[in-house]
Amino acid sequence: MSDNKPYPEKCPRCESPSPEVMSQSPVAGAWTVFHCPVCFFTWRSTEPDFITDPAKYNPHFKFSPQDMEHFGVMPAIPELKR
C-alpha cells in the first residue's frame, strides 16, 4: 500500500493555494492528511478524486475565501435548564 498521489497544489473546497500536511500515516507512504488553513477543510490523500481534485469536487459544497466573510457565526450553546 502506498500513497502515490502528489502533494496538492490547492484546496479542493476553496481552491486556496495553501494546503498543509496535518498528519502522516505511521506506515511510511500509506496516507497523508492535508488541511486547508483558509477554510479548515481536511482530506486524506487516499480519498477518491471527487474529494481530492478541485475540478471534481461537488460545486454545491465549494466556496471562495471571500464568501467566508459573509458566513454567520455559530450561536452559543444555551445554558442547561434544570
Side-chain angles (χ1 to χ4, degrees), residues 32-47:
T32 303
V33 175
F34 297 102
H35 169 257
C36 176
V38 175
C39 74
F40 309 108
F41 184 61
T42 58
W43 67 99
R44 192 177 291 204
S45 59
T46 55
E47 295 194 56

Side-chain angles (χ1 to χ4, degrees), residues 23-80:
S23 180
Q24 294 192 353
S25 66
V27 175
W31 50 260
T32 303
V33 175
F34 297 102
H35 169 257
C36 176
V38 175
C39 74
F40 309 108
F41 184 61
T42 58
W43 67 99
R44 192 177 291 204
S45 59
T46 55
E47 295 194 56
D49 62 353
F50 65 86
I51 298 294
T52 62
D53 182 348
K56 296 179 181 178
Y57 193 81
N58 187 331
H60 291 101
F61 298 113
K62 290 187 88 132
F63 57 85
S64 72
Q66 293 78 21
D67 294 335
M68 292 179 70
E69 296 172 14
H70 306 290
F71 290 173
V73 176
M74 294 294 291
I77 299 173
E79 291 187 37
L80 179 64

